[in-house]
Amino acid sequence: MNILAIESSCDETAAAIISGDPFSNTKKPHILSNVVVSQIDIFKAYGGVIPEVAARSHLEAILPVIHQAFKDANLTKNGQDNWDEIDAIAVTHTPGLLGSLLVGTLTARVLAILHQKPLYAIHHLKSHIYANWLETENLPDFPLLSLVISGGHTQIIYMKAHNQFEIIGTTLDDAVGECFDKVAKILGLPYPGGPAIAKAASGLIIDAATEKTTKVSPGDSQKYPLPHPNIKNYDFSFSGLKTAVLRAVQKAVNVPISTPSHELKNLLSDQQKADFAASFEETACDILLKKLEKAFRDYSETKSIVIAGGVSANQRLREKSPQEAYFPAPCFSGDNAAMVGAAAFYEIAAKVEPTDSYSLNILPRSVIN
Ligand code: KG4
Ligand code: ZN
């Protein structure tokens, strides 16, 4: 069975073709093609995503990206997409940016109707989790705990079995990825903040305005102690950490707390930026892992820990995580369509009914279920 998967929930336009037999004993999806066109270069100039611009870019990219997925999978006939080879279509329909979701979802609906294929509507966080079932020998065992960490979400999800999700912890304010992005802005590092903070912590400072890279000593993660929030159970809070960085930077450069955050980057030395990046990265990782380890202790029947979402690309987090934790290959941490196909593969394996292509709606906000 071949599944064409489409993802356009934020600022990546992506299509993939996933292959495999969902009814075999081994039940493993394989990637025939995986095309991701990122809009990062557009949004670097603005320091963040502009929803209207993202939707327009998706519109321009989506059909060429799908065609490229057919070509890379060798599923073309006389240069045309060979729809005889496709058995199902999967698309991210929630959550995400309204205009961005609309482009992918409407494209998938039209293609499903036109070519008479079943359509699977996939939740974005579910697909992030299922990135851990892609191209790996070792599949996670159930029941499992998943830490989903992205630009929009920070959740601990308990999964008794495939397709069963119970959110046991969530952020009360900002997502951890959002916090990386905001701290990067304070330090004058480029968008997206996650990779820029990680580089700065290793001593490579990229200036957001000039894109010039300067090399300093690796950041000292103990230089600026930052507080952990005092939140009960498995919930998170990251807005306080962002403010704590802001106050620590103001203190380090000797300015009053009324000083606007955009003035601070010019007052910091590159070495201070590296030290702040390392101190922040270390604290953010510790906050995430402390909660995850608490959940792992309390849910004692848990067999696997699965980490997913854009922030799971973070190398320091990978080093500090329990050895047995599963991570996606770094190229599948961020938004892509292969993970959407993997999620659909396991829905098909569980005989989940396809959605109605004539009425599928998008939902900018929703919880995983
Ligand atoms: O999953 P994702 O690609 O998109 C959403 O669903 O939000 O996650 C994007 C987030 C951004 O906030 C970005 O800064 C963060 O993931 N990120 C990282 C790293 N790479 C991306 N955060 C920390 N370390 C990284 N290496
Ligand atoms: Zn995502």
Side-chain angles (χ1 to χ4, degrees):
M1 158 176 283
N2 292 333
I3 305 168
L4 169 70
I6 297 169
E7 152 66 37
S8 71
S9 65
C10 187
D11 58 351
E12 259 92 28
T13 318
I17 298 178
I18 295 298
S19 165
D21 178 359
F23 306 111
S24 72
N25 286 335
T26 48
K27 279 205 192 90
K28 261 192 189 178
H30 296 291
I31 300 175
L32 296 186
S33 62
N34 183 36
V35 182
V36 183
V37 170
S38 175
Q39 302 172 5
I40 281 178
D41 283 344
I42 301 173
F43 295 123
K44 253 188 199 160
Y46 303 101
V49 179
I50 298 175
E52 297 280 315
V53 179
R56 274 170 183 265
S57 306
H58 283 306
L59 262 183
E60 282 171 20
I62 193 119
L63 291 178
V65 163
I66 291 172
H67 182 51
Q68 191 63 43
F70 275 90
K71 282 209 287 204
D72 290 356
N74 273 327
L75 296 180
T76 53
K77 206 160 93 185
N78 306 322
Q80 304 287 314
D81 303 347
N82 187 354
W83 283 92
D84 292 342
E85 298 279 357
I86 299 296
D87 301 287
I89 300 176
V91 67
T92 313
H93 75 118
T94 186
L97 300 173
L98 187 146
S100 293
L101 287 167
L102 267 177
V103 175
T105 302
L106 285 175
T107 304
R109 282 176 55 182
V110 170
L111 292 173
I113 293 167
L114 198 63
H115 300 288
Q116 299 184 7
K117 307 292 177 186
L119 177 62
Y120 290 84
I122 304 294
H123 193 285
H124 186 59
L125 297 195
K126 174 174 186 169
S127 61
H128 269 305
I129 294 172
Y130 275 92
N132 280 280
W133 275 259
L134 280 172
E135 301 299 313
T136 168
E137 280 310 307
N138 260 340
L139 296 181
D141 275 335
F142 294 98
L144 62 81
L145 279 170
S146 183
L147 174 69
V148 184
I149 39 180
S150 70
H153 293 83
T154 309
Q155 298 191 328
I156 301 181
I157 297 171
Y158 179 71
M159 288 180 73
K160 213 181 233 167
H162 277 299
N163 305 305
Q164 292 183 27
F165 307 94
E166 186 193 337
I167 300 168
I168 64 165
T170 191
T171 181
L172 304 178
D173 39 60
D174 292 355
V176 61
E178 193 181 348
C179 193
F180 270 90
D181 296 338
K182 285 178 175 169
V183 168
K185 244 185 174 169
I186 296 173
L187 301 180
L189 304 172
Y191 172 85
I197 294 258
K199 282 204 184 102
S202 77
L204 286 177
I205 312 295
I206 307 167
D207 185 273
T210 63
E211 292 188 20
K212 269 200 188 135
T213 303
T214 321
K215 204 169 176 333
V216 293
S217 302
D220 173 0
S221 64
Q222 309 303 314
K223 177 92 184 186
Y224 301 105
L226 296 164
H228 281 224
N230 187 11
I231 309 277
K232 286 209 184 74
N233 49 49
Y234 313 111
D235 286 337
F236 297 97
S237 164
F238 280 98
S239 74
L241 180 57
K242 170 200 64 194
T243 310
V245 172
L246 177 64
R247 295 286 174 257
V249 170
Q250 288 166 332
K251 193 172 162 203
V253 296
N254 286 317
V255 295
I257 60 170
S258 54
T259 312
S261 60
H262 66 263
E263 286 178 13
L264 301 171
K265 53 184 180 287
N266 300 325
L267 305 172
L268 285 165
S269 70
D270 284 335
Q271 191 58 56
Q272 279 176 312
K273 290 182 185 181
D275 293 339
F276 270 112
S279 300
F280 163 73
E281 183 181 49
E282 198 74 10
T283 308
C285 292
D286 285 343
I287 292 171
L288 292 170
L289 293 176
K290 229 171 141 181
K291 283 286 158 112
L292 182 63
E293 280 157 17
K294 174 178 158 62
F296 190 53
R297 278 195 306 276
D298 295 351
Y299 284 69
S300 53
E301 68 284 13
T302 301
K303 294 217 178 85
S304 315
I305 290 177
V306 168
I307 306 192
V311 182
S312 73
N314 187 273
Q315 198 49 43
R316 187 71 190 120
L317 184 74
R318 288 175 183 241
E319 288 160 14
K320 289 175 75 88
S321 289
Q323 248 199 332
E324 65 272 30
Y326 289 81
F327 279 90
C331 62
F332 300 129
S333 279
D335 292 345
N336 65 86
M339 66 186 191
V340 180
F345 179 92
Y346 286 98
E347 285 200 359
I348 295 167
K351 300 199 166 63
V352 173
E353 283 295 314
T355 190
D356 179 1
S357 309
Y358 287 90
S359 64
L360 174 65
N361 242 324
I362 58 125
L363 276 172
R365 298 174 73 92
S366 71
V367 293
I368 191 168
N369 60 29

